[in-house]
Structure formats: C-alpha cells, structure tokens
Amino acid sequence: MQLQQLASFVAVAETAHFTHAAERMRLAQPSLSKQIKALEAELGAPLFSRARGNVTLTPAGELLLPLARRILADAETARREVAELAGLGRGRVRLGATPSLCAGLLAEALARFHDDYPGIDLLVEEGGSRDLVRDLARGQLDLALIILPLQSSDPSLVTEEILRENLVVASPAGTRPRRPYVRIEELRGRPMVMFRRGYDLREATLNACRQAGFEPRFAVEGGEMDAVLRFVEAGLGVAVVPSMVLDGRPGLAGTPLAPPGLRRAVALAHRKDVEPIRAALAFRATLLSYLSEAAEEGSLPQGVELSTPPAEL
C-alpha cells in the first residue's frame, strides 16, 4: 500500500469523480484508475461502486476513508517534523479557530507570530467547534481554538482552557436597555438573529431560552458571525454573541445578561496521539504570551479574562 495510492483514493472519494480527482492529483486519469485498481487488489475488496456513472464508496471504501486521511496526515506531519530539525526557519502551522476568535483576539497573535517566525506559513481554518474537532481528529489541523464544553467527548483530543468570555445581547447602537442587564426571559417574543445549525452559539442561546421556558422567535437564521452582526446592525433583531466581537463595531451595543449570565470557555486543542510540531508549540507560546501581556495591560476585550495559566504541553 503506497501513500500515492491512498491520496488518489481520498481524492476520488472527496470529488466522487475520477476525472476531477485526476485533475486534483495532477495525474492522467488512466494512471489514477490504475492506482485505485492496485489498491483494491491489495486490499482484496472494491472501494468504489461505479453504477450508472455515479461513483460512490462501498462499505470497504467507507471503512478505509478515515484511516487513509489519518495516514496521509501523519505522513505530512512526519515530513514537517523532520524538516524542522534544522530549526524554525521554515515550516507551516495549520490552525483552526471559531469565527468569533478570528474576528477578535487571533489577528494580533498571528501578526506577532509572523514577525517572530517569518519563514513559517500560517494556514487558518475558520469553523465551528464541531467541525474543528473533526478536522483535528483527522489530522488536518495541528492546533485548534475551540469552545468548551465539547458537544461530545473525544478521548483522542487534549484540551487546555485559556480564556473565559461573557455572552451579551447585541442590539443596534442607541437601543441599549436602560438597566445594565437584560434577563434571558426578556427575549421572549423579541425577534432574534440566529446562527446556522451546528454553531456553538446557536446551541447556547437555544438552551438558555428553553431553560427559561420559551422558544425564541427567529427574524432570520442561518448566518455566520459577520452576517449575524450585520443583520443586527440593520435592525432585524437581537443576537446573543461573545462580548469580544463587538470591539470596533460602533453600530452595535452589547448588554450583559443578568447574573449569573452566560459564559463560555475557549480552549486550545490538539490530538493526544501526536506530539504537536515545534512550529505549533511556538505558536502556542506566542498566543499565551500575547494574552498574558494583554491581561496585564488591561487591553483584553471587555468581558474576557484569562483562565488559570495552562500547563506546558
């Protein structure tokens, strides 16, 4: 079994098309088909069903796909770790982060890391925590900034909490309630702008409303972070968002929820079975140093505080 064969198999599985997979792999289609046939012969089972021009995975193919992705990711990690033996002059960090963090604290930390390690490429994948956890497990990310608690326990991951942040009710500037807090019950019947399904903030908001005994009324739903904030600015409704995303948005006001309110924890996560590469460890150190300095200077966004300093990886 060869890595090239596994890469070709994954390309066909993800594109559901031999021609498109060959283009992705920069191979002639007959060469790619030959690799797939050789892999099937070695495994002793067909990997694809080609009925009526449709390419779908067989049960054997469905079993192999996550394993093949893991093998390819581990091979890439091995290549990068060997290349890093000469130091941190070159390399790549694959980082995942939630949209609220990409729009908030992450940019400054990335800029500092780039200044310190200009030869290391940064690949940032933006997504919800569930998607990022999946990509970590597949070996497609080195580190990810995710929201705790995880929706499902995953023993293959290590998480370390680094921040806690308040969730606030975002509304158009000039419409802030007279009182310093708003109770979750006061959102009953109010039009709300809601994130897409699978979004951590959607689940947090729905759970809070249901615990208060009502189902929220959606004016519009399905957006990512930037879209939700723009919809609120336009007056379509209010939204429950992290306090940090309102920095630099004069068109929005954020009102804390009545104590104890809603809070969430931000954590760094990586795979338990793979030691993070040196470049990823360097980014972690840069991020924690930046956050520590910002906390000491009082420049963390309002409603954000450091967790207990995490232990060394």
Side-chain angles (χ1 to χ4, degrees):
M1 188 182 303
Q2 300 175 4
L3 291 176
Q4 182 75 6
Q5 293 172 341
L6 292 175
S8 295
F9 162 72
V10 171
V12 176
E14 292 180 346
T15 62
H17 201 286
F18 274 76
T19 300
H20 295 165
E23 292 172 352
R24 177 194 289 190
M25 297 294 298
R26 298 181 180 178
L27 293 172
Q29 183 173 334
S31 297
L32 181 137
S33 297
K34 184 177 180 180
Q35 290 184 4
I36 298 299
K37 289 180 181 178
L39 183 60
E40 290 176 325
E42 183 171 351
L43 295 174
L47 300 174
F48 296 103
S49 173
R50 303 166 178 82
R52 299 179 181 177
N54 295 321
V55 178
T56 58
L57 287 168
T58 63
E62 291 178 351
L63 178 65
L64 178 62
L65 182 57
L67 299 175
R69 283 173 169 153
R70 177 69 65 86
I71 292 170
L72 292 171
D74 287 347
E76 172 64 16
T77 298
R79 280 193 290 266
R80 290 188 292 128
E81 288 182 341
V82 170
E84 285 185 346
L85 288 176
L88 288 172
R90 60 193 178 95
R92 182 178 68 169
V93 176
R94 302 169 300 173
L95 174 69
T98 61
S100 60
L101 293 169
C102 287
L105 293 170
L106 188 58
E108 293 295 332
L110 289 173
R112 178 178 295 193
F113 181 79
H114 180 70
D115 289 341
D116 292 342
Y117 304 100
I120 297 184
D121 296 329
L122 290 164
L123 174 63
V124 178
E125 181 72 26
E126 186 176 1
S129 287
R130 293 181 183 182
D131 295 336
L132 297 177
V133 166
R134 178 201 62 204
D135 291 344
L136 275 173
R138 290 178 176 176
Q140 295 172 344
L141 295 173
D142 300 309
L143 293 173
L145 286 159
I146 61 173
I147 306 303
L148 296 179
L150 298 177
Q151 296 299 315
S152 60
S153 59
D154 192 329
S156 68
L157 296 182
V158 175
T159 61
E160 50 173 343
E161 183 181 316
I162 61 172
L163 291 174
R164 286 187 175 272
E165 60 179 339
N166 292 330
L167 300 181
V168 299
V169 178
S171 58
T175 62
R176 185 193 296 269
R178 294 180 180 178
R179 291 182 289 109
Y181 296 101
V182 60
R183 298 186 180 280
I184 195 72
E185 294 86 351
E186 295 175 49
L187 300 181
R188 185 193 302 266
R190 293 189 65 179
M192 297 188 67
V193 179
M194 184 55 66
F195 295 92
R196 63 170 171 80
R197 294 183 183 278
Y199 220 79
D200 304 285
L201 287 166
R202 180 190 179 98
E203 300 306 317
T205 304
L206 288 175
N207 289 338
C209 292
R210 288 167 180 166
Q211 288 177 9
F214 69 95
E215 287 290 325
R217 171 190 164 199
F218 298 161
V220 60
E221 63 175 317
E224 300 281 351
M225 178 61 69
D226 189 61
V228 166
L229 296 178
R230 289 180 181 274
F231 293 157
V232 174
E233 286 176 328
L236 289 169
V238 299
V240 176
V241 301
S243 56
M244 71 169 68
V245 302
L246 300 184
D247 273 14
R249 286 190 175 261
L252 291 173
T255 305
L257 287 157
L262 291 178
R263 305 193 79 196
R264 68 177 190 171
V266 178
L268 265 174
H270 67 89
R271 277 174 56 186
K272 182 181 294 185
D273 60 339
V274 176
E275 183 70 18
I277 60 174
R278 290 181 62 197
L281 292 175
F283 175 78
R284 173 187 180 273
T286 298
L287 174 64
L288 295 181
S289 174
Y290 164 74
L291 294 175
S292 178
E293 291 176 15
E296 290 178 3
E297 297 168 358
S299 59
L300 285 174
Q302 186 174 0
V304 177
E305 62 182 31
L306 289 183
S307 300
T308 302
E312 292 297 323
L313 292 184

